């Protein structure tokens, strides 16, 4: 009991009483240290999350536009906008079909003209011997009125289908439409001319069906 100090005992009691009345002060330092530790540990996680978000944003920026964007745009149109778009689509389809029809019509018209011309050529070729005989009769003998009328009708019928008869004595010789079966020198001639028509030539437009068979006179030198 000789070691007991009354003053030290009183001081200890006062310190215990102060701790009892203010317990927060006793644990404040450890709590603050824990809070700082938690804050420091949270920072790396937040940085990682931000980096991941930035990467996703960059990936989305590089991606092409979604194929369904047109559909979404159409869905976002007002009823009037949808009606106008449908009308424009129908008009474009109609114009395309009209252009195809015009091309088809022009192509079939050309084919029709070609087939028609081929038919006329076939008939004309088959009748050439008879036409040549009519020309010989006209040139070398008298034709009665009835035969002359028939020959005139045949000529007019071919003219109706665009057949042109050519080959006349005295015209200039043209190798593209004349077939010279004989060349006869003539001292009075200054150029090659048709002296006689043996068989008349026939053509349709610029196409020669048969060249005129003629006798040609040419300069003697």
């Amino acid at each position: 009991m000789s070691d007991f100090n009354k003053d030290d005992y009183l001081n200890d009691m006062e310190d215990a009483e102060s701790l009892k009345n203010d317990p927060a002060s006793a644990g404040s330092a450890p709590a603050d240290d824990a809070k700082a530790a938690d804050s420091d540990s949270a920072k790396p996680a937040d940085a990682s999350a931000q980096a991941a978000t930035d990467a996703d944003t960059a990936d989305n920026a590089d991606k092409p536009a979604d194929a369904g964007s047109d559909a979404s745009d159409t869905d976002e149109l007002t009823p009037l906008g949808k009606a106008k778009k449908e009308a424009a689509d129908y008009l474009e389809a109609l114009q395309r079909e009209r252009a195809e029809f015009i091309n088809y019509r022009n192509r079939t018209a050309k084919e029709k003209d070609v087939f028609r011309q081929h038919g006329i050529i076939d008939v004309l070729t088959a009748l050439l011997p008879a036409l040549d005989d009519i020309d010989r009769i006209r040139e070398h003998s008298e034709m009665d009125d009835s035969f002359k009328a028939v020959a005139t009708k045949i000529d007019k019928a071919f003219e109706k289908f665009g057949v042109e008869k050519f080959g006349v004595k005295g015209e200039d010789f043209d190798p593209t439409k004349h077939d010279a079966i004989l060349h006869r020198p003539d001292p009075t001639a200054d150029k090659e001319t048709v002296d006689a028509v043996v068989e008349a030539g026939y053509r349709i437009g610029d196409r020669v069906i048969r060249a005129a068979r003629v006798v040609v006179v040419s300069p003697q030198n």
Side-chain angles (χ1 to χ4, degrees), residues 18-33:
S18 63
L19 290 175
K20 183 178 179 180
N21 294 331
D22 191 7
S25 61
S28 59
D32 290 342
D33 294 339

mmCIF file with all atom_site columns, all heavy atoms in Angstrom, residues 18-33:
data_model
loop_
_atom_site.group_PDB
_atom_site.id
_atom_site.type_symbol
_atom_site.label_atom_id
_atom_site.label_alt_id
_atom_site.label_comp_id
_atom_site.label_asym_id
_atom_site.label_entity_id
_atom_site.label_seq_id
_atom_site.pdbx_PDB_ins_code
_atom_site.Cartn_x
_atom_site.Cartn_y
_atom_site.Cartn_z
_atom_site.occupancy
_atom_site.B_iso_or_equiv
_atom_site.pdbx_formal_charge
_atom_site.auth_seq_id
_atom_site.auth_comp_id
_atom_site.auth_asym_id
_atom_site.auth_atom_id
_atom_site.pdbx_PDB_model_num
ATOM 1   N N   . SER A 1 18 ? -13.205 11.064 -19.460 1.00 0.00 ? 18 SER A N   1
ATOM 2   C CA  . SER A 1 18 ? -13.245 11.855 -20.697 1.00 0.00 ? 18 SER A CA  1
ATOM 3   C C   . SER A 1 18 ? -13.421 10.954 -21.917 1.00 0.00 ? 18 SER A C   1
ATOM 4   O O   . SER A 1 18 ? -14.112 11.284 -22.884 1.00 0.00 ? 18 SER A O   1
ATOM 5   C CB  . SER A 1 18 ? -11.972 12.686 -20.808 1.00 0.00 ? 18 SER A CB  1
ATOM 6   O OG  . SER A 1 18 ? -10.840 11.840 -20.912 1.00 0.00 ? 18 SER A OG  1
ATOM 7   N N   . LEU A 1 19 ? -12.823 9.796  -21.895 1.00 0.00 ? 19 LEU A N   1
ATOM 8   C CA  . LEU A 1 19 ? -12.992 8.843  -23.007 1.00 0.00 ? 19 LEU A CA  1
ATOM 9   C C   . LEU A 1 19 ? -14.407 8.324  -23.067 1.00 0.00 ? 19 LEU A C   1
ATOM 10  O O   . LEU A 1 19 ? -14.968 8.098  -24.143 1.00 0.00 ? 19 LEU A O   1
ATOM 11  C CB  . LEU A 1 19 ? -12.016 7.674  -22.832 1.00 0.00 ? 19 LEU A CB  1
ATOM 12  C CG  . LEU A 1 19 ? -10.518 7.989  -23.044 1.00 0.00 ? 19 LEU A CG  1
ATOM 13  C CD1 . LEU A 1 19 ? -9.661  6.755  -22.706 1.00 0.00 ? 19 LEU A CD1 1
ATOM 14  C CD2 . LEU A 1 19 ? -10.261 8.460  -24.457 1.00 0.00 ? 19 LEU A CD2 1
ATOM 15  N N   . LYS A 1 20 ? -15.007 8.143  -21.917 1.00 0.00 ? 20 LYS A N   1
ATOM 16  C CA  . LYS A 1 20 ? -16.381 7.662  -21.865 1.00 0.00 ? 20 LYS A CA  1
ATOM 17  C C   . LYS A 1 20 ? -17.336 8.678  -22.444 1.00 0.00 ? 20 LYS A C   1
ATOM 18  O O   . LYS A 1 20 ? -18.293 8.353  -23.134 1.00 0.00 ? 20 LYS A O   1
ATOM 19  C CB  . LYS A 1 20 ? -16.740 7.359  -20.400 1.00 0.00 ? 20 LYS A CB  1
ATOM 20  C CG  . LYS A 1 20 ? -18.138 6.792  -20.281 1.00 0.00 ? 20 LYS A CG  1
ATOM 21  C CD  . LYS A 1 20 ? -18.423 6.471  -18.828 1.00 0.00 ? 20 LYS A CD  1
ATOM 22  C CE  . LYS A 1 20 ? -19.839 5.923  -18.666 1.00 0.00 ? 20 LYS A CE  1
ATOM 23  N NZ  . LYS A 1 20 ? -20.150 5.601  -17.245 1.00 0.00 ? 20 LYS A NZ  1
ATOM 24  N N   . ASN A 1 21 ? -17.120 9.960  -22.191 1.00 0.00 ? 21 ASN A N   1
ATOM 25  C CA  . ASN A 1 21 ? -18.009 11.008 -22.696 1.00 0.00 ? 21 ASN A CA  1
ATOM 26  C C   . ASN A 1 21 ? -17.781 11.302 -24.183 1.00 0.00 ? 21 ASN A C   1
ATOM 27  O O   . ASN A 1 21 ? -18.670 11.812 -24.850 1.00 0.00 ? 21 ASN A O   1
ATOM 28  C CB  . ASN A 1 21 ? -17.798 12.299 -21.874 1.00 0.00 ? 21 ASN A CB  1
ATOM 29  C CG  . ASN A 1 21 ? -18.247 12.112 -20.415 1.00 0.00 ? 21 ASN A CG  1
ATOM 30  O OD1 . ASN A 1 21 ? -19.147 11.307 -20.129 1.00 0.00 ? 21 ASN A OD1 1
ATOM 31  N ND2 . ASN A 1 21 ? -17.618 12.837 -19.502 1.00 0.00 ? 21 ASN A ND2 1
ATOM 32  N N   . ASP A 1 22 ? -16.614 11.011 -24.746 1.00 0.00 ? 22 ASP A N   1
ATOM 33  C CA  . ASP A 1 22 ? -16.315 11.327 -26.158 1.00 0.00 ? 22 ASP A CA  1
ATOM 34  C C   . ASP A 1 22 ? -15.668 10.125 -26.823 1.00 0.00 ? 22 ASP A C   1
ATOM 35  O O   . ASP A 1 22 ? -14.468 10.077 -27.079 1.00 0.00 ? 22 ASP A O   1
ATOM 36  C CB  . ASP A 1 22 ? -15.382 12.552 -26.209 1.00 0.00 ? 22 ASP A CB  1
ATOM 37  C CG  . ASP A 1 22 ? -15.252 13.077 -27.636 1.00 0.00 ? 22 ASP A CG  1
ATOM 38  O OD1 . ASP A 1 22 ? -15.986 12.569 -28.527 1.00 0.00 ? 22 ASP A OD1 1
ATOM 39  O OD2 . ASP A 1 22 ? -14.411 13.978 -27.864 1.00 0.00 ? 22 ASP A OD2 1
ATOM 40  N N   . PRO A 1 23 ? -16.442 9.075  -27.070 1.00 0.00 ? 23 PRO A N   1
ATOM 41  C CA  . PRO A 1 23 ? -15.860 7.853  -27.636 1.00 0.00 ? 23 PRO A CA  1
ATOM 42  C C   . PRO A 1 23 ? -15.397 8.053  -29.071 1.00 0.00 ? 23 PRO A C   1
ATOM 43  O O   . PRO A 1 23 ? -14.538 7.362  -29.557 1.00 0.00 ? 23 PRO A O   1
ATOM 44  C CB  . PRO A 1 23 ? -17.011 6.852  -27.562 1.00 0.00 ? 23 PRO A CB  1
ATOM 45  C CG  . PRO A 1 23 ? -18.244 7.669  -27.553 1.00 0.00 ? 23 PRO A CG  1
ATOM 46  C CD  . PRO A 1 23 ? -17.897 8.943  -26.832 1.00 0.00 ? 23 PRO A CD  1
ATOM 47  N N   . ALA A 1 24 ? -15.975 9.027  -29.826 1.00 0.00 ? 24 ALA A N   1
ATOM 48  C CA  . ALA A 1 24 ? -15.609 9.215  -31.239 1.00 0.00 ? 24 ALA A CA  1
ATOM 49  C C   . ALA A 1 24 ? -14.175 9.641  -31.391 1.00 0.00 ? 24 ALA A C   1
ATOM 50  O O   . ALA A 1 24 ? -13.509 9.310  -32.362 1.00 0.00 ? 24 ALA A O   1
ATOM 51  C CB  . ALA A 1 24 ? -16.524 10.258 -31.876 1.00 0.00 ? 24 ALA A CB  1
ATOM 52  N N   . SER A 1 25 ? -13.677 10.407 -30.397 1.00 0.00 ? 25 SER A N   1
ATOM 53  C CA  . SER A 1 25 ? -12.304 10.894 -30.484 1.00 0.00 ? 25 SER A CA  1
ATOM 54  C C   . SER A 1 25 ? -11.310 9.769  -30.352 1.00 0.00 ? 25 SER A C   1
ATOM 55  O O   . SER A 1 25 ? -10.226 9.825  -30.914 1.00 0.00 ? 25 SER A O   1
ATOM 56  C CB  . SER A 1 25 ? -12.053 11.955 -29.400 1.00 0.00 ? 25 SER A CB  1
ATOM 57  O OG  . SER A 1 25 ? -12.232 11.376 -28.123 1.00 0.00 ? 25 SER A OG  1
ATOM 58  N N   . ALA A 1 26 ? -11.749 8.723  -29.606 1.00 0.00 ? 26 ALA A N   1
ATOM 59  C CA  . ALA A 1 26 ? -10.829 7.622  -29.398 1.00 0.00 ? 26 ALA A CA  1
ATOM 60  C C   . ALA A 1 26 ? -10.628 6.830  -30.675 1.00 0.00 ? 26 ALA A C   1
ATOM 61  O O   . ALA A 1 26 ? -9.544  6.370  -30.970 1.00 0.00 ? 26 ALA A O   1
ATOM 62  C CB  . ALA A 1 26 ? -11.342 6.707  -28.263 1.00 0.00 ? 26 ALA A CB  1
ATOM 63  N N   . GLY A 1 27 ? -11.717 6.656  -31.501 1.00 0.00 ? 27 GLY A N   1
ATOM 64  C CA  . GLY A 1 27 ? -11.586 5.827  -32.725 1.00 0.00 ? 27 GLY A CA  1
ATOM 65  C C   . GLY A 1 27 ? -11.519 6.616  -33.975 1.00 0.00 ? 27 GLY A C   1
ATOM 66  O O   . GLY A 1 27 ? -11.687 6.063  -35.059 1.00 0.00 ? 27 GLY A O   1
ATOM 67  N N   . SER A 1 28 ? -11.373 7.896  -33.898 1.00 0.00 ? 28 SER A N   1
ATOM 68  C CA  . SER A 1 28 ? -11.419 8.737  -35.098 1.00 0.00 ? 28 SER A CA  1
ATOM 69  C C   . SER A 1 28 ? -10.227 8.495  -35.986 1.00 0.00 ? 28 SER A C   1
ATOM 70  O O   . SER A 1 28 ? -10.320 8.462  -37.196 1.00 0.00 ? 28 SER A O   1
ATOM 71  C CB  . SER A 1 28 ? -11.501 10.212 -34.692 1.00 0.00 ? 28 SER A CB  1
ATOM 72  O OG  . SER A 1 28 ? -10.378 10.563 -33.912 1.00 0.00 ? 28 SER A OG  1
ATOM 73  N N   . ALA A 1 29 ? -9.103  8.348  -35.377 1.00 0.00 ? 29 ALA A N   1
ATOM 74  C CA  . ALA A 1 29 ? -7.899  8.182  -36.190 1.00 0.00 ? 29 ALA A CA  1
ATOM 75  C C   . ALA A 1 29 ? -7.934  6.895  -36.981 1.00 0.00 ? 29 ALA A C   1
ATOM 76  O O   . ALA A 1 29 ? -7.693  6.890  -38.186 1.00 0.00 ? 29 ALA A O   1
ATOM 77  C CB  . ALA A 1 29 ? -6.663  8.266  -35.279 1.00 0.00 ? 29 ALA A CB  1
ATOM 78  N N   . PRO A 1 30 ? -8.265  5.743  -36.386 1.00 0.00 ? 30 PRO A N   1
ATOM 79  C CA  . PRO A 1 30 ? -8.345  4.508  -37.173 1.00 0.00 ? 30 PRO A CA  1
ATOM 80  C C   . PRO A 1 30 ? -9.412  4.573  -38.245 1.00 0.00 ? 30 PRO A C   1
ATOM 81  O O   . PRO A 1 30 ? -9.245  4.081  -39.350 1.00 0.00 ? 30 PRO A O   1
ATOM 82  C CB  . PRO A 1 30 ? -8.650  3.436  -36.119 1.00 0.00 ? 30 PRO A CB  1
ATOM 83  C CG  . PRO A 1 30 ? -8.169  4.020  -34.850 1.00 0.00 ? 30 PRO A CG  1
ATOM 84  C CD  . PRO A 1 30 ? -8.401  5.478  -34.959 1.00 0.00 ? 30 PRO A CD  1
ATOM 85  N N   . ALA A 1 31 ? -10.573 5.192  -37.935 1.00 0.00 ? 31 ALA A N   1
ATOM 86  C CA  . ALA A 1 31 ? -11.662 5.268  -38.935 1.00 0.00 ? 31 ALA A CA  1
ATOM 87  C C   . ALA A 1 31 ? -11.245 6.094  -40.115 1.00 0.00 ? 31 ALA A C   1
ATOM 88  O O   . ALA A 1 31 ? -11.537 5.775  -41.265 1.00 0.00 ? 31 ALA A O   1
ATOM 89  C CB  . ALA A 1 31 ? -12.911 5.865  -38.267 1.00 0.00 ? 31 ALA A CB  1
ATOM 90  N N   . ASP A 1 32 ? -10.557 7.204  -39.826 1.00 0.00 ? 32 ASP A N   1
ATOM 91  C CA  . ASP A 1 32 ? -10.113 8.058  -40.931 1.00 0.00 ? 32 ASP A CA  1
ATOM 92  C C   . ASP A 1 32 ? -9.121  7.320  -41.795 1.00 0.00 ? 32 ASP A C   1
ATOM 93  O O   . ASP A 1 32 ? -9.114  7.448  -43.033 1.00 0.00 ? 32 ASP A O   1
ATOM 94  C CB  . ASP A 1 32 ? -9.460  9.330  -40.373 1.00 0.00 ? 32 ASP A CB  1
ATOM 95  C CG  . ASP A 1 32 ? -10.508 10.231 -39.722 1.00 0.00 ? 32 ASP A CG  1
ATOM 96  O OD1 . ASP A 1 32 ? -11.705 10.017 -40.039 1.00 0.00 ? 32 ASP A OD1 1
ATOM 97  O OD2 . ASP A 1 32 ? -10.131 11.123 -38.927 1.00 0.00 ? 32 ASP A OD2 1
ATOM 98  N N   . ASP A 1 33 ? -8.261  6.526  -41.163 1.00 0.00 ? 33 ASP A N   1
ATOM 99  C CA  . ASP A 1 33 ? -7.288  5.764  -41.935 1.00 0.00 ? 33 ASP A CA  1
ATOM 100 C C   . ASP A 1 33 ? -7.976  4.749  -42.817 1.00 0.00 ? 33 ASP A C   1
ATOM 101 O O   . ASP A 1 33 ? -7.607  4.541  -43.983 1.00 0.00 ? 33 ASP A O   1
ATOM 102 C CB  . ASP A 1 33 ? -6.305  5.061  -40.991 1.00 0.00 ? 33 ASP A CB  1
ATOM 103 C CG  . ASP A 1 33 ? -5.444  6.069  -40.230 1.00 0.00 ? 33 ASP A CG  1
ATOM 104 O OD1 . ASP A 1 33 ? -5.343  7.222  -40.746 1.00 0.00 ? 33 ASP A OD1 1
ATOM 105 O OD2 . ASP A 1 33 ? -4.894  5.711  -39.180 1.00 0.00 ? 33 ASP A OD2 1
#
